[in-house]
Amino acid sequence: MIGPNLLPIMSEHCTETLQSALDKLNLLHIEQFCTVRGNPGTRCKHVFSSGAPGSLMSETVAMLNFYPSFPAAEGPTNRGEFIFVVDRSGSMECPMNSEPNAPQRIQSAKETLVLLLKSLPLGCYFNIFGFGSHFESFFTESKEYTQQSMEEAVKMVNEMSANFGGTEILRPLKKIYDTSGRPDHPRQLFLFTDGEVGNTKEVIDEVQKNSNNHRCFTFGIGEGASTSLIKGMARAGSGIFEFITGKDRMQTKVLRALKCSLQPTVNNVSLTWSLPSGVEAILLSKVPNSIFQGQKSIVYAQVKGKVETEAEGEVCLQYNYKDELLKNAIRFPLKIEKVERFAIDHYQFVALPFGLATAPRVFTKVMAATMDVLHSRGIVVVPYLDDLIKAPTFKDCELSVSITTDTLSRIG
């Protein structure tokens, strides 16, 4: 756990509820909302915390939230080579989850794939691989997407079964990467699997080695899907990952991934700082290697050094989008406004109310980052010993509960 000085800097668009969660997280929070050029307004507050001089606890840690906005597209793209890789090992016959009458994982994978097939743009190219102890493809090479080829593929997908034995993903990946792509049709790879392989690092390294030639989008099917494999492949392939457990809306996740795959690739992502003399920023997480329209990019950094009262700083995320260099810059004040009390009441332990049991304090600290994600989606939720979700209608409350439980399940 990182417990640095608290200096949240956020856009005026941030809600007071989000501010309360960030206060508990003890982070310098810098937020930007959908600007390609220009600087958003910011404000800051400081709440006292302790730490031995020179230790991490005495330093400030910044959580940078960028919301990139790209120039308007000329129109829907019909370019792309979409390769779908489906796990057909025996474990895919297992139920999606522990609920009674839960569907089989292979059935969920097939439904997900059919939805993707029916959503592809006319004029692109596609192929489908099934893998287990061995692998096979629907077509000898990628086929042009037409109404006829789509209907042919959907029929074959509906006839698939989980009868390929074990889970061996590296061989089909190498086969795909060894096959030349189509000019002017960027390759997008979609993987569907429920299991865990014994050579996870080797698989991720293979994706990373070929990351300049494709993007990788992964779907974990069922509750037992390997998070290290699913997340690792997507991050190495500059894509996104989704987990489908049968307890949430599959359509939203599938179309979100497809929408990202249809966006042009962003290259040469870098982060630069402009800070006062004597102040430096040390990255605690990697600079994002993939950026998508409407997707928040988060970076953590430790800010070290003595800060003057009126000092200001600037952080800039820049990247190449098509032939244009885009910059997302945030200029923020380091002036500290000391407050004795928060704008809204919330709970934060300053001692151990349950003796030596540290769980309640750790819980409130850990959950604050998760609350950031939920609040950004419009969910009003307060975590404490008894969690509270608030919504205007019963239907909205049910939806908020579903999204919250799904988010908590995905992070373990």
Side-chain angles (χ1 to χ4, degrees):
M1 289 295 295
I2 296 175
N5 291 332
L6 169 63
L7 181 58
I9 300 178
M10 60 196 80
S11 165
E12 294 293 342
H13 296 282
C14 288
T15 63
E16 291 298 326
T17 305
L18 176 56
Q19 178 187 338
S20 175
L22 293 169
D23 286 344
K24 288 184 286 184
L25 188 57
N26 284 351
L27 288 177
L28 166 65
H29 183 77
I30 305 174
E31 190 117 11
Q32 181 196 37
F33 284 83
C34 299
T35 58
V36 177
R37 300 176 181 85
N39 304 317
T42 58
R43 65 182 178 185
C44 62
K45 289 185 178 180
H46 181 258
V47 180
F48 303 103
S49 63
S50 60
S55 68
L56 183 61
M57 294 289 288
S58 66
E59 303 290 353
T60 296
V61 171
M63 183 174 73
L64 314 175
N65 287 297
F66 292 94
Y67 295 79
S69 179
F70 305 146
E74 298 176 357
T77 179
N78 61 349
R79 295 182 178 182
E81 181 191 23
F82 297 85
I83 308 295
F84 303 101
V85 185
V86 185
D87 188 346
R88 296 180 61 179
S89 62
S91 63
M92 289 290 283
E93 289 187 332
C94 296
M96 286 285 291
N97 51 60
S98 58
E99 298 292 330
N101 302 318
Q104 289 183 332
R105 297 171 185 177
I106 187 64
Q107 184 61 37
S108 179
K110 288 160 61 174
E111 291 174 0
T112 304
L113 181 52
V114 168
L115 179 56
L116 280 167
L117 285 173
K118 292 184 176 181
S119 304
L120 292 178
L122 289 172
C124 70
Y125 288 80
F126 75 103
N127 202 352
I128 300 171
F129 284 74
F131 72 92
S133 299
H134 64 283
F135 69 91
E136 63 183 36
S137 60
F138 280 14
F139 313 115
T140 55
E141 61 180 8
S142 296
K143 199 166 189 177
E144 185 177 358
Y145 182 83
T146 63
Q147 181 68 26
Q148 181 179 353
S149 62
M150 182 271 289
E151 291 176 354
E152 179 185 359
V154 168
K155 181 180 179 181
M156 288 191 287
V157 168
N158 288 329
E159 294 173 352
M160 288 195 313
S161 58
N163 58 351
F164 277 24
T167 305
E168 173 52 59
I169 187 175
L170 190 58
R171 289 173 57 208
L173 283 180
K174 288 186 174 182
K175 170 64 176 179
I176 293 169
Y177 294 146
D178 288 341
T179 304
S180 299
R182 292 184 171 271
D184 300 322
H185 287 273
R187 177 171 287 174
Q188 317 291 335
L189 189 146
F190 288 74
L191 173 79
F192 309 82
T193 184
D194 73 328
E196 185 171 356
V197 296
N199 56 346
T200 298
K201 185 179 184 304
E202 191 176 353
V203 171
I204 294 174
D205 288 344
E206 186 69 20
V207 175
Q208 179 70 56
K209 185 172 69 175
N210 294 274
S211 59
N212 292 331
N213 305 320
H214 83 300
R215 286 188 295 194
C216 183
F217 300 84
T218 55
F219 292 86
I221 307 296
E223 292 181 338
S226 169
T227 56
S228 59
L229 178 67
I230 299 300
K231 293 181 179 181
M233 290 183 64
R235 289 166 178 164
S238 300
I240 66 173
F241 57 85
E242 298 286 356
F243 289 90
I244 299 176
T245 63
K247 298 180 180 179
D248 43 27
R249 286 180 58 82
M250 174 182 66
Q251 182 177 7
T252 303
K253 296 182 176 183
V254 171
L255 295 182
R256 178 166 57 231
L258 179 60
K259 181 179 178 181
C260 289
S261 72
L262 293 172
Q263 296 180 24
T265 302
V266 171
N267 299 310
N268 303 322
V269 184
S270 63
L271 191 70
T272 58
W273 293 80
S274 178
L275 298 170
S277 177
V279 179
E280 64 173 334
I282 301 174
L283 287 180
L284 300 177
S285 62
K286 294 181 179 180
V287 176
N289 61 347
S290 58
I291 295 177
F292 299 101
Q293 176 85 331
Q295 295 274 340
K296 179 169 64 173
S297 296
I298 301 177
V299 178
Y300 292 91
Q302 182 181 1
V303 182
K304 303 184 67 175
K306 184 178 180 181
V307 179
E308 300 296 334
T309 305
E310 301 295 333
E312 288 189 338
E314 182 179 274
V315 59
C316 179
L317 183 73
Q318 65 180 32
Y319 42 89
N320 292 105
Y321 177 80
K322 295 185 177 179
D323 297 326
E324 187 176 0
L325 176 64
L326 301 182
K327 296 183 178 181
N328 292 96
I330 311 174
R331 190 162 186 82
F332 55 92
L334 295 175
K335 181 180 179 180
I336 295 173
E337 173 191 345
K338 296 180 179 180
V339 294
E340 300 297 335
R341 190 174 184 275
F342 295 102
I344 335 183
D345 291 335
H346 70 271
Y347 301 97
Q348 176 166 319
F349 292 105
V350 295
L352 297 179
F354 302 104
L356 296 179
T358 59
R361 176 177 172 82
V362 173
F363 175 79
T364 56
K365 297 292 184 182
V366 171
M367 288 303 297
T370 305
M371 294 304 104
D372 181 15
V373 175
L374 294 174
H375 293 150
S376 69
R377 301 183 66 179
I379 298 175
V380 181
V381 55
V382 179
Y384 187 48
L385 299 182
D386 293 311
D387 299 338
L388 171 66
I389 294 179
K390 182 180 179 182
T393 67
F394 181 79
K395 185 176 181 180
D396 290 335
C397 189
E398 280 190 321
L399 179 60
S400 295
V401 170
S402 176
I403 295 174
T404 300
T405 53
D406 175 60
T407 300
L408 294 176
S409 297
R410 288 171 58 184
I411 65 177

